[in-house]
Amino acid sequence: MIDGDGVEPEGIIGLNVVTRSMKRMGRLVSRCGISPVRRMLRSHSPVSQASWLLADRVVPDGIAHIEGTVMKLRRSSLAATLLLAAIGCSSSHSDGISLVPQAATSLEAASKPVSKPSLAAQNAARLNALSTERLPDAKGHRVSEKFPDVELLDQNGKTHRFYEGLVKDHPVCIVFFYTRCQGSCPGTTQAMKKLRKLLAPEFGSEMRFISLTLDPDVDSSEELRDYMQRWKIEDSEPGQPEWYYCTGKYEELEELRRSLGLYELDPIIDADRTQHAAILTFGNDRTNRWAALPVGSDMQDIVDTMTRIAGNTERQRYAGAVKLGRTAHGHLVAE
Amino acid sequence: MAKSQKSKSSSAVTRRGALQVGAAAIATSVFVGLSPEARAKKGRGGGGSGSGGGTGGGTTGTPIRFTPFTVDLPRAAVKSPLAIGTPPYQPGAVFHGIAPEFFNRTLAENPSQRYYEAFPTKFYEMRCQYAVHEFIPGVRTPVMTYDGTVPGPTFKARVGEPVVIREWNDTDRELSTHLHGGHNPAHGDGYPNFYILPGKARDYYYTNTVPMELGQPDFGESPSTMWYHDHSMDLTDEHVVRGMAGFFLTYDDLELDLINRNVLPADEYDIPVAIQDKRFNADGTLWYDPLDHNGYLGDVMCLNGKAQPKMHVQRRKYRFRFLGGSTARFFELRLSDGNFIGLGMDTWLFPQAIERNTLLLSPAKRADVIIDFTNAPNEVFLENILIQEDGRGPSGKLNDRETQIPGFPLMKFIVEGDPQPDSATVEVGTPLRPHTPIHANEIVATRIFEFERRKGAWQINHKFFDPNRADATPLLGTAERWILRNEGGGWWHPIHIHLESHQIQLVEGQVPPLEDRFKSDTAILGAGTELELFMKFRTFKGPFVFHCHNTAHEDMRMMFVFDPRTTSTRAPTVIQQSFP
């Protein structure tokens, strides 16, 4: 890892690749054994001949003329030049200062080949570049090793081991709440109901929603069952994530809560149930990817992030992340 | 006054029954990283204390012992370009393309035609890949890297020399590389969801130009010490902890002149040093918990990827670029013998060299300094004197930090040979880079950003981060005043704003310490404090982000978007462009 003198000669000198002789001269200089930095300074002289011999780049005419110098241009194609001219890049701003506000189309025009497919076609191609193969199981340490495998009681009085029964090898979304909460929980419950529908196409019933109580003394199975009925939440909806409302022993739930990072370092705030975290914790144990988001974030952002983090295939993860371009109204391209 | 290691009590058995009470006992009874002999000799507070080795939130620390100061401080290799001038590949012909500014120089305000030498573009290729690295001697640790090394390769370039780096993602996680301190197009600035997807590539175009001011290049903005690291949404903390960081150094005519005139040391006497804390499992893998949102604290102090290294130095001046490369730990560096000569803060040189006794480094900050070993004793230690117990930040207040002297030894300099009094002429007061301050009468807008914690989540101005929403739309070519307020709760936030330097005007209503009065890119917002800064927005259209650089907080979306525009626009609004 230790390089000889800490400086890479060719990188610093900024050789002009104009003629072969200049290149040779540069190599000679770099072999002289002089301090590379001092070598660099020797080449620091007013440029007599500049070259933009860059194979595939079209340089607008405005840049071409440096006072007293002749620039060699290689134009990749006449069509490309005309295209650039058409979008106003031929610059009369030879001082290089002003910014040319770009038309929306120039973004794609500048970076794509000349005979360009439509935006929709490009986006379809980008989507198809994402594999639909189920990504392999993660190897090595898993984040879930830190979760205590405590026994939980769900809304139907059925027991589950938190890890072995609910989390293992599944994508999950976990939240802490309590039925008497007047603060963030109503909003969280609403949001999760929406999410359940929005995530159904990608995850179906493979994903589990797990709502864990902060108040097991009050929140028995029956209370949880009542809460679900009040909110019109079914255990199972066809093709949608299963939703488990769980209670358990207070100490074990506390330990679980801490292992999921949903605690405050300030013990006073942590002990105050009304200030509990309004965070969605989600992940996919099989692929060992986990993250957490404030539940008040934009709903589409939550959906995109959950699919990206917990997705089982590249297409699932990144479909939302590859869309190019903007609509005529300036909004980002929607599905 | 060494503080005993705190450990969170979590007595129940984990599912796998891993490291338990026994391990906790080991951690408290044995100082990790400081051999008993060294401890007896130096009488230092050490690994178990909060200053060097306290960990936040875990039940144990690293259960691996090693003898410190046995491995030499490495220097990351300087990256060679694939080609200069003629592209070895078609720029932009990859899945994620290249910045449009590459094809239209006027957008980049690249005045190569008049103000700079017309440097041909340097073309690089870099591969983001998994690798195995030894932090602790003899222990192989899987890591995430740039080009297989920790730190990644060092880039060196001239100011005015355009650079294209084709970055391939050979891992299975989405990435986005940010050149911290750089003035760059939005396509390649590390916007969190402008990914490099697994198996794909993005061409990062760095113009290496400075902004223009009244028709002239503002060479006061010439960068010296930048660093690059991953910045992908929700995953930044893990990727940086696992190894994705490296240096990017640029030199302009002024700095080269200082070197040529032997004012500043150079070449083998100019060393970038990344300081990072790590924590390991018994099997040598990195301990990391993506669900710990407070901030990652480790107890093994690694410099340039080696735990507590040593360095043989001559009796002369050396230039060090120290980087706070941790994701949550703050460092305050001190020498066991002597002071530093401060050359610069974050990315930029000072107007003149100043004396500095200690160097406060938040995550992401850099201190560019001279250490003069001419009259040093045979052994000099670089120490961390700052006490930090958990991811929230150091103990104490910003202006009244809890420190311990002597501190935790990070590395040992073994000083050899005869004194070389003429090694470099820089001393306190030597002029470096002239600084033209931003004046109050240049300010066209004032914005206030309040950072708040609510129910485990971070908000700025009562809003959550949205990558599609521009929260500020400064007019390109203007200067603004930003007031940053941190509501408290013991949380420290080093705030980093992309695109340009900022000038810290006031911290808690007072003029900041001398080293913070010029240019910075990361401002420490201590718990319950307020600061005011001036900043210009030039050259490149947005979107860009600003955020807390405790990357665990950043991943919990403690971030906002500013989207510099060519026309006056009201915010909030949709971002003007996107480069997925």
PDB file of all heavy atoms in Angstrom, chain A residues 1 6 11 44 54 57 97 141 278 289 301 308 318 323 326, chain B residues 75 85 105 109 117 122 156 174 234 283 453 455 557 575 580:
ATOM      1  N   MET A   1       0.818  -1.206   0.000  1.00  0.00           N
ATOM      2  CA  MET A   1       0.000   0.000   0.000  1.00  0.00           C
ATOM      3  C   MET A   1       0.849   1.252   0.000  1.00  0.00           C
ATOM      4  O   MET A   1       0.378   2.319  -0.304  1.00  0.00           O
ATOM      5  CB  MET A   1      -0.899   0.045   1.240  1.00  0.00           C
ATOM      6  CG  MET A   1      -2.177  -0.701   1.071  1.00  0.00           C
ATOM      7  SD  MET A   1      -3.557   0.418   0.873  1.00  0.00           S
ATOM      8  CE  MET A   1      -3.828   0.942   2.532  1.00  0.00           C
ATOM      9  N   GLY A   6       4.837   8.978  -3.036  1.00  0.00           N
ATOM     10  CA  GLY A   6       3.598   9.641  -2.697  1.00  0.00           C
ATOM     11  C   GLY A   6       2.985  10.436  -3.826  1.00  0.00           C
ATOM     12  O   GLY A   6       1.900  10.949  -3.695  1.00  0.00           O
ATOM     13  N   GLY A  11       0.124  11.719 -13.434  1.00  0.00           N
ATOM     14  CA  GLY A  11      -1.132  12.309 -13.031  1.00  0.00           C
ATOM     15  C   GLY A  11      -1.004  13.779 -12.728  1.00  0.00           C
ATOM     16  O   GLY A  11      -1.876  14.567 -13.013  1.00  0.00           O
ATOM     17  N   HIS A  44       4.800  23.796 -16.233  1.00  0.00           N
ATOM     18  CA  HIS A  44       3.808  24.833 -15.980  1.00  0.00           C
ATOM     19  C   HIS A  44       4.171  26.071 -16.776  1.00  0.00           C
ATOM     20  O   HIS A  44       4.876  26.947 -16.309  1.00  0.00           O
ATOM     21  CB  HIS A  44       3.795  25.112 -14.471  1.00  0.00           C
ATOM     22  CG  HIS A  44       2.943  26.293 -14.096  1.00  0.00           C
ATOM     23  ND1 HIS A  44       1.600  26.309 -14.285  1.00  0.00           N
ATOM     24  CD2 HIS A  44       3.278  27.460 -13.528  1.00  0.00           C
ATOM     25  CE1 HIS A  44       1.126  27.463 -13.844  1.00  0.00           C
ATOM     26  NE2 HIS A  44       2.104  28.183 -13.380  1.00  0.00           N
ATOM     27  N   LEU A  54     -10.545  14.597 -28.281  1.00  0.00           N
ATOM     28  CA  LEU A  54     -11.311  13.657 -27.493  1.00  0.00           C
ATOM     29  C   LEU A  54     -12.298  12.972 -28.397  1.00  0.00           C
ATOM     30  O   LEU A  54     -13.147  13.591 -29.003  1.00  0.00           O
ATOM     31  CB  LEU A  54     -12.025  14.397 -26.371  1.00  0.00           C
ATOM     32  CG  LEU A  54     -11.028  15.049 -25.412  1.00  0.00           C
ATOM     33  CD1 LEU A  54     -11.680  16.121 -24.598  1.00  0.00           C
ATOM     34  CD2 LEU A  54     -10.406  13.997 -24.514  1.00  0.00           C
ATOM     35  N   ARG A  57     -16.435  13.218 -28.062  1.00  0.00           N
ATOM     36  CA  ARG A  57     -17.100  14.361 -27.464  1.00  0.00           C
ATOM     37  C   ARG A  57     -17.199  15.468 -28.484  1.00  0.00           C
ATOM     38  O   ARG A  57     -16.241  15.805 -29.141  1.00  0.00           O
ATOM     39  CB  ARG A  57     -16.321  14.844 -26.246  1.00  0.00           C
ATOM     40  CG  ARG A  57     -17.008  15.970 -25.519  1.00  0.00           C
ATOM     41  CD  ARG A  57     -16.453  16.057 -24.136  1.00  0.00           C
ATOM     42  NE  ARG A  57     -15.013  16.163 -24.241  1.00  0.00           N
ATOM     43  CZ  ARG A  57     -14.328  17.206 -23.798  1.00  0.00           C
ATOM     44  NH1 ARG A  57     -14.934  18.197 -23.242  1.00  0.00           N
ATOM     45  NH2 ARG A  57     -13.024  17.220 -23.894  1.00  0.00           N
ATOM     46  N   ILE A  97     -18.640  32.360 -18.885  1.00  0.00           N
ATOM     47  CA  ILE A  97     -19.209  32.656 -17.581  1.00  0.00           C
ATOM     48  C   ILE A  97     -20.675  32.305 -17.485  1.00  0.00           C
ATOM     49  O   ILE A  97     -21.120  31.647 -16.572  1.00  0.00           O
ATOM     50  CB  ILE A  97     -19.032  34.154 -17.227  1.00  0.00           C
ATOM     51  CG1 ILE A  97     -17.562  34.475 -17.080  1.00  0.00           C
ATOM     52  CG2 ILE A  97     -19.765  34.478 -15.925  1.00  0.00           C
ATOM     53  CD1 ILE A  97     -17.294  35.933 -16.863  1.00  0.00           C
ATOM     54  N   HIS A 141     -22.787 -13.212   9.174  1.00  0.00           N
ATOM     55  CA  HIS A 141     -23.578 -12.633  10.270  1.00  0.00           C
ATOM     56  C   HIS A 141     -24.820 -11.941   9.735  1.00  0.00           C
ATOM     57  O   HIS A 141     -24.771 -11.235   8.732  1.00  0.00           O
ATOM     58  CB  HIS A 141     -22.750 -11.592  11.036  1.00  0.00           C
ATOM     59  CG  HIS A 141     -21.672 -12.191  11.872  1.00  0.00           C
ATOM     60  ND1 HIS A 141     -21.932 -12.853  13.053  1.00  0.00           N
ATOM     61  CD2 HIS A 141     -20.335 -12.237  11.698  1.00  0.00           C
ATOM     62  CE1 HIS A 141     -20.785 -13.266  13.559  1.00  0.00           C
ATOM     63  NE2 HIS A 141     -19.806 -12.908  12.763  1.00  0.00           N
ATOM     64  N   ALA A 278     -41.764   7.038  16.415  1.00  0.00           N
ATOM     65  CA  ALA A 278     -42.724   6.912  15.307  1.00  0.00           C
ATOM     66  C   ALA A 278     -41.929   6.511  14.067  1.00  0.00           C
ATOM     67  O   ALA A 278     -41.779   7.276  13.127  1.00  0.00           O
ATOM     68  CB  ALA A 278     -43.449   8.236  15.091  1.00  0.00           C
ATOM     69  N   ARG A 289     -30.947  -7.274   4.687  1.00  0.00           N
ATOM     70  CA  ARG A 289     -30.950  -5.818   4.479  1.00  0.00           C
ATOM     71  C   ARG A 289     -32.026  -5.211   5.371  1.00  0.00           C
ATOM     72  O   ARG A 289     -33.151  -5.677   5.370  1.00  0.00           O
ATOM     73  CB  ARG A 289     -31.247  -5.489   3.011  1.00  0.00           C
ATOM     74  CG  ARG A 289     -30.022  -5.635   2.113  1.00  0.00           C
ATOM     75  CD  ARG A 289     -30.381  -5.643   0.651  1.00  0.00           C
ATOM     76  NE  ARG A 289     -31.029  -4.452   0.137  1.00  0.00           N
ATOM     77  CZ  ARG A 289     -30.415  -3.469  -0.517  1.00  0.00           C
ATOM     78  NH1 ARG A 289     -29.104  -3.496  -0.677  1.00  0.00           N
ATOM     79  NH2 ARG A 289     -31.111  -2.444  -1.003  1.00  0.00           N
ATOM     80  N   ASP A 301     -42.204   7.656  -0.979  1.00  0.00           N
ATOM     81  CA  ASP A 301     -40.822   7.472  -0.550  1.00  0.00           C
ATOM     82  C   ASP A 301     -40.704   6.223   0.319  1.00  0.00           C
ATOM     83  O   ASP A 301     -39.774   5.428   0.176  1.00  0.00           O
ATOM     84  CB  ASP A 301     -40.374   8.720   0.218  1.00  0.00           C
ATOM     85  CG  ASP A 301     -38.882   8.741   0.522  1.00  0.00           C
ATOM     86  OD1 ASP A 301     -38.156   7.882   0.006  1.00  0.00           O
ATOM     87  OD2 ASP A 301     -38.454   9.628   1.282  1.00  0.00           O
ATOM     88  N   ARG A 308     -36.975  -1.179  -2.013  1.00  0.00           N
ATOM     89  CA  ARG A 308     -35.552  -1.215  -2.324  1.00  0.00           C
ATOM     90  C   ARG A 308     -34.775  -2.014  -1.282  1.00  0.00           C
ATOM     91  O   ARG A 308     -33.918  -2.828  -1.606  1.00  0.00           O
ATOM     92  CB  ARG A 308     -35.009   0.218  -2.412  1.00  0.00           C
ATOM     93  CG  ARG A 308     -33.536   0.307  -2.747  1.00  0.00           C
ATOM     94  CD  ARG A 308     -33.145   1.750  -3.081  1.00  0.00           C
ATOM     95  NE  ARG A 308     -33.498   2.680  -2.027  1.00  0.00           N
ATOM     96  CZ  ARG A 308     -32.744   2.957  -0.982  1.00  0.00           C
ATOM     97  NH1 ARG A 308     -31.581   2.374  -0.839  1.00  0.00           N
ATOM     98  NH2 ARG A 308     -33.152   3.815  -0.075  1.00  0.00           N
ATOM     99  N   TYR A 318     -34.961  -1.916  -7.514  1.00  0.00           N
ATOM    100  CA  TYR A 318     -34.501  -0.702  -8.189  1.00  0.00           C
ATOM    101  C   TYR A 318     -35.432  -0.155  -9.258  1.00  0.00           C
ATOM    102  O   TYR A 318     -35.117   0.830  -9.912  1.00  0.00           O
ATOM    103  CB  TYR A 318     -33.101  -0.939  -8.772  1.00  0.00           C
ATOM    104  CG  TYR A 318     -32.116  -1.417  -7.730  1.00  0.00           C
ATOM    105  CD1 TYR A 318     -31.396  -2.601  -7.898  1.00  0.00           C
ATOM    106  CD2 TYR A 318     -31.921  -0.705  -6.555  1.00  0.00           C
ATOM    107  CE1 TYR A 318     -30.505  -3.047  -6.939  1.00  0.00           C
ATOM    108  CE2 TYR A 318     -31.039  -1.147  -5.583  1.00  0.00           C
ATOM    109  CZ  TYR A 318     -30.339  -2.314  -5.790  1.00  0.00           C
ATOM    110  OH  TYR A 318     -29.459  -2.751  -4.830  1.00  0.00           O
ATOM    111  N   LYS A 323     -35.806   5.604 -13.159  1.00  0.00           N
ATOM    112  CA  LYS A 323     -36.572   6.359 -14.157  1.00  0.00           C
ATOM    113  C   LYS A 323     -35.898   7.668 -14.529  1.00  0.00           C
ATOM    114  O   LYS A 323     -35.574   8.491 -13.689  1.00  0.00           O
ATOM    115  CB  LYS A 323     -37.970   6.658 -13.604  1.00  0.00           C
ATOM    116  CG  LYS A 323     -38.776   5.417 -13.313  1.00  0.00           C
ATOM    117  CD  LYS A 323     -40.131   5.773 -12.755  1.00  0.00           C
ATOM    118  CE  LYS A 323     -40.617   4.653 -11.838  1.00  0.00           C
ATOM    119  NZ  LYS A 323     -41.326   5.145 -10.677  1.00  0.00           N
ATOM    120  N   ARG A 326     -38.155  14.086 -17.090  1.00  0.00           N
ATOM    121  CA  ARG A 326     -39.196  14.864 -16.441  1.00  0.00           C
ATOM    122  C   ARG A 326     -40.342  15.036 -17.420  1.00  0.00           C
ATOM    123  O   ARG A 326     -40.151  15.079 -18.609  1.00  0.00           O
ATOM    124  CB  ARG A 326     -38.637  16.240 -16.055  1.00  0.00           C
ATOM    125  CG  ARG A 326     -37.527  16.153 -15.045  1.00  0.00           C
ATOM    126  CD  ARG A 326     -36.753  17.451 -14.999  1.00  0.00           C
ATOM    127  NE  ARG A 326     -37.585  18.566 -14.580  1.00  0.00           N
ATOM    128  CZ  ARG A 326     -37.923  18.823 -13.324  1.00  0.00           C
ATOM    129  NH1 ARG A 326     -37.543  18.013 -12.372  1.00  0.00           N
ATOM    130  NH2 ARG A 326     -38.649  19.861 -13.024  1.00  0.00           N
TER     131      ARG A 326
ATOM    132  N   ARG B  75       0.284   4.420   3.517  1.00  0.00           N
ATOM    133  CA  ARG B  75      -0.223   5.529   2.717  1.00  0.00           C
ATOM    134  C   ARG B  75      -0.947   4.928   1.528  1.00  0.00           C
ATOM    135  O   ARG B  75      -0.398   4.090   0.824  1.00  0.00           O
ATOM    136  CB  ARG B  75       0.933   6.393   2.207  1.00  0.00           C
ATOM    137  CG  ARG B  75       1.135   7.635   2.987  1.00  0.00           C
ATOM    138  CD  ARG B  75       2.424   8.271   2.603  1.00  0.00           C
ATOM    139  NE  ARG B  75       3.482   7.923   3.529  1.00  0.00           N
ATOM    140  CZ  ARG B  75       4.659   8.530   3.535  1.00  0.00           C
ATOM    141  NH1 ARG B  75       4.920   9.467   2.658  1.00  0.00           N
ATOM    142  NH2 ARG B  75       5.579   8.183   4.396  1.00  0.00           N
ATOM    143  N   GLY B  85      -6.242  12.780 -21.896  1.00  0.00           N
ATOM    144  CA  GLY B  85      -6.531  13.387 -23.192  1.00  0.00           C
ATOM    145  C   GLY B  85      -7.498  12.556 -23.998  1.00  0.00           C
ATOM    146  O   GLY B  85      -8.667  12.903 -24.142  1.00  0.00           O
ATOM    147  N   ARG B 105     -19.250  22.727 -22.026  1.00  0.00           N
ATOM    148  CA  ARG B 105     -18.330  23.319 -21.062  1.00  0.00           C
ATOM    149  C   ARG B 105     -18.831  24.620 -20.468  1.00  0.00           C
ATOM    150  O   ARG B 105     -18.443  24.993 -19.381  1.00  0.00           O
ATOM    151  CB  ARG B 105     -16.973  23.557 -21.728  1.00  0.00           C
ATOM    152  CG  ARG B 105     -16.270  22.279 -22.124  1.00  0.00           C
ATOM    153  CD  ARG B 105     -15.959  21.455 -20.895  1.00  0.00           C
ATOM    154  NE  ARG B 105     -15.407  20.172 -21.217  1.00  0.00           N
ATOM    155  CZ  ARG B 105     -14.339  19.647 -20.642  1.00  0.00           C
ATOM    156  NH1 ARG B 105     -13.707  20.314 -19.711  1.00  0.00           N
ATOM    157  NH2 ARG B 105     -13.912  18.459 -20.983  1.00  0.00           N
ATOM    158  N   GLU B 109     -18.739  26.286 -16.508  1.00  0.00           N
ATOM    159  CA  GLU B 109     -17.889  27.476 -16.356  1.00  0.00           C
ATOM    160  C   GLU B 109     -16.433  27.059 -16.325  1.00  0.00           C
ATOM    161  O   GLU B 109     -15.667  27.465 -15.460  1.00  0.00           O
ATOM    162  CB  GLU B 109     -18.243  28.237 -15.077  1.00  0.00           C
ATOM    163  CG  GLU B 109     -19.583  28.908 -15.203  1.00  0.00           C
ATOM    164  CD  GLU B 109     -19.898  29.829 -14.055  1.00  0.00           C
ATOM    165  OE1 GLU B 109     -19.166  29.824 -13.058  1.00  0.00           O
ATOM    166  OE2 GLU B 109     -20.902  30.546 -14.149  1.00  0.00           O
ATOM    167  N   GLU B 117      -4.572  26.640 -17.586  1.00  0.00           N
ATOM    168  CA  GLU B 117      -3.973  25.898 -18.694  1.00  0.00           C
ATOM    169  C   GLU B 117      -5.036  24.947 -19.191  1.00  0.00           C
ATOM    170  O   GLU B 117      -5.857  24.473 -18.434  1.00  0.00           O
ATOM    171  CB  GLU B 117      -2.785  25.084 -18.187  1.00  0.00           C
ATOM    172  CG  GLU B 117      -1.641  25.944 -17.739  1.00  0.00           C
ATOM    173  CD  GLU B 117      -0.432  25.082 -17.449  1.00  0.00           C
ATOM    174  OE1 GLU B 117      -0.204  24.114 -18.198  1.00  0.00           O
ATOM    175  OE2 GLU B 117       0.257  25.366 -16.481  1.00  0.00           O
ATOM    176  N   LYS B 122      -8.305  13.856 -17.537  1.00  0.00           N
ATOM    177  CA  LYS B 122      -7.756  12.576 -17.077  1.00  0.00           C
ATOM    178  C   LYS B 122      -8.905  11.591 -16.920  1.00  0.00           C
ATOM    179  O   LYS B 122      -9.907  11.914 -16.297  1.00  0.00           O
ATOM    180  CB  LYS B 122      -7.059  12.741 -15.727  1.00  0.00           C
ATOM    181  CG  LYS B 122      -5.708  13.397 -15.838  1.00  0.00           C
ATOM    182  CD  LYS B 122      -4.752  13.021 -14.715  1.00  0.00           C
ATOM    183  CE  LYS B 122      -5.263  13.326 -13.336  1.00  0.00           C
ATOM    184  NZ  LYS B 122      -4.152  13.688 -12.441  1.00  0.00           N
ATOM    185  N   LYS B 156      -4.973  12.540  -7.214  1.00  0.00           N
ATOM    186  CA  LYS B 156      -4.295  13.836  -7.217  1.00  0.00           C
ATOM    187  C   LYS B 156      -4.545  14.488  -8.563  1.00  0.00           C
ATOM    188  O   LYS B 156      -4.455  13.843  -9.612  1.00  0.00           O
ATOM    189  CB  LYS B 156      -2.793  13.662  -6.987  1.00  0.00           C
ATOM    190  CG  LYS B 156      -2.455  13.180  -5.590  1.00  0.00           C
ATOM    191  CD  LYS B 156      -0.977  13.365  -5.278  1.00  0.00           C
ATOM    192  CE  LYS B 156      -0.684  12.867  -3.869  1.00  0.00           C
ATOM    193  NZ  LYS B 156       0.700  13.113  -3.461  1.00  0.00           N
ATOM    194  N   GLU B 174     -26.538  -0.891  -3.589  1.00  0.00           N
ATOM    195  CA  GLU B 174     -26.538   0.356  -4.349  1.00  0.00           C
ATOM    196  C   GLU B 174     -25.573   1.351  -3.701  1.00  0.00           C
ATOM    197  O   GLU B 174     -25.478   1.440  -2.484  1.00  0.00           O
ATOM    198  CB  GLU B 174     -27.957   0.940  -4.449  1.00  0.00           C
ATOM    199  CG  GLU B 174     -28.684   1.152  -3.138  1.00  0.00           C
ATOM    200  CD  GLU B 174     -29.424  -0.078  -2.610  1.00  0.00           C
ATOM    201  OE1 GLU B 174     -28.991  -1.229  -2.894  1.00  0.00           O
ATOM    202  OE2 GLU B 174     -30.418   0.097  -1.904  1.00  0.00           O
ATOM    203  N   ASP B 234     -29.909   5.795   2.934  1.00  0.00           N
ATOM    204  CA  ASP B 234     -30.179   4.829   4.009  1.00  0.00           C
ATOM    205  C   ASP B 234     -29.032   3.865   4.290  1.00  0.00           C
ATOM    206  O   ASP B 234     -29.114   3.087   5.238  1.00  0.00           O
ATOM    207  CB  ASP B 234     -31.426   3.978   3.705  1.00  0.00           C
ATOM    208  CG  ASP B 234     -32.636   4.821   3.372  1.00  0.00           C
ATOM    209  OD1 ASP B 234     -32.842   5.845   4.051  1.00  0.00           O
ATOM    210  OD2 ASP B 234     -33.355   4.481   2.431  1.00  0.00           O
ATOM    211  N   ASP B 283     -14.745 -13.004  15.606  1.00  0.00           N
ATOM    212  CA  ASP B 283     -14.224 -13.663  14.411  1.00  0.00           C
ATOM    213  C   ASP B 283     -13.543 -12.701  13.451  1.00  0.00           C
ATOM    214  O   ASP B 283     -13.212 -13.067  12.326  1.00  0.00           O
ATOM    215  CB  ASP B 283     -15.339 -14.443  13.694  1.00  0.00           C
ATOM    216  CG  ASP B 283     -16.446 -13.512  13.200  1.00  0.00           C
ATOM    217  OD1 ASP B 283     -16.334 -12.282  13.396  1.00  0.00           O
ATOM    218  OD2 ASP B 283     -17.432 -14.018  12.628  1.00  0.00           O
ATOM    219  N   ARG B 453     -35.470  16.708  16.880  1.00  0.00           N
ATOM    220  CA  ARG B 453     -35.695  15.284  16.998  1.00  0.00           C
ATOM    221  C   ARG B 453     -37.114  15.072  17.514  1.00  0.00           C
ATOM    222  O   ARG B 453     -37.497  15.646  18.519  1.00  0.00           O
ATOM    223  CB  ARG B 453     -34.710  14.655  17.978  1.00  0.00           C
ATOM    224  CG  ARG B 453     -34.872  13.148  18.120  1.00  0.00           C
ATOM    225  CD  ARG B 453     -33.753  12.580  18.979  1.00  0.00           C
ATOM    226  NE  ARG B 453     -33.896  11.162  19.235  1.00  0.00           N
ATOM    227  CZ  ARG B 453     -33.588  10.193  18.377  1.00  0.00           C
ATOM    228  NH1 ARG B 453     -33.137  10.511  17.181  1.00  0.00           N
ATOM    229  NH2 ARG B 453     -33.735   8.927  18.700  1.00  0.00           N
ATOM    230  N   LYS B 455     -39.734  11.889  18.223  1.00  0.00           N
ATOM    231  CA  LYS B 455     -40.148  10.487  18.216  1.00  0.00           C
ATOM    232  C   LYS B 455     -39.187   9.615  17.418  1.00  0.00           C
ATOM    233  O   LYS B 455     -39.580   8.859  16.548  1.00  0.00           O
ATOM    234  CB  LYS B 455     -41.562  10.362  17.656  1.00  0.00           C
ATOM    235  CG  LYS B 455     -42.498  11.320  18.361  1.00  0.00           C
ATOM    236  CD  LYS B 455     -43.934  10.920  18.263  1.00  0.00           C
ATOM    237  CE  LYS B 455     -44.739  11.771  19.246  1.00  0.00           C
ATOM    238  NZ  LYS B 455     -46.007  11.222  19.573  1.00  0.00           N
ATOM    239  N   ARG B 557     -32.459  10.089   7.669  1.00  0.00           N
ATOM    240  CA  ARG B 557     -33.004  11.173   6.858  1.00  0.00           C
ATOM    241  C   ARG B 557     -32.837  12.570   7.468  1.00  0.00           C
ATOM    242  O   ARG B 557     -33.684  13.446   7.246  1.00  0.00           O
ATOM    243  CB  ARG B 557     -34.470  10.908   6.525  1.00  0.00           C
ATOM    244  CG  ARG B 557     -34.734   9.539   5.889  1.00  0.00           C
ATOM    245  CD  ARG B 557     -34.018   9.401   4.572  1.00  0.00           C
ATOM    246  NE  ARG B 557     -34.308   8.181   3.844  1.00  0.00           N
ATOM    247  CZ  ARG B 557     -35.343   8.005   3.028  1.00  0.00           C
ATOM    248  NH1 ARG B 557     -36.217   8.970   2.857  1.00  0.00           N
ATOM    249  NH2 ARG B 557     -35.494   6.850   2.387  1.00  0.00           N
ATOM    250  N   ILE B 575     -37.606  19.124  -7.427  1.00  0.00           N
ATOM    251  CA  ILE B 575     -36.224  19.358  -7.875  1.00  0.00           C
ATOM    252  C   ILE B 575     -36.205  19.527  -9.388  1.00  0.00           C
ATOM    253  O   ILE B 575     -37.026  18.959 -10.096  1.00  0.00           O
ATOM    254  CB  ILE B 575     -35.272  18.212  -7.452  1.00  0.00           C
ATOM    255  CG1 ILE B 575     -35.749  16.843  -7.955  1.00  0.00           C
ATOM    256  CG2 ILE B 575     -35.102  18.192  -5.946  1.00  0.00           C
ATOM    257  CD1 ILE B 575     -34.788  15.702  -7.649  1.00  0.00           C
ATOM    258  N   PRO B 580     -30.921   9.554 -12.235  1.00  0.00           N
ATOM    259  CA  PRO B 580     -30.919   8.216 -11.620  1.00  0.00           C
ATOM    260  C   PRO B 580     -29.934   7.263 -12.281  1.00  0.00           C
ATOM    261  O   PRO B 580     -29.485   7.530 -13.395  1.00  0.00           O
ATOM    262  CB  PRO B 580     -32.364   7.753 -11.852  1.00  0.00           C
ATOM    263  CG  PRO B 580     -32.831   8.500 -13.033  1.00  0.00           C
ATOM    264  CD  PRO B 580     -32.143   9.835 -13.002  1.00  0.00           C
TER     265      PRO B 580
END
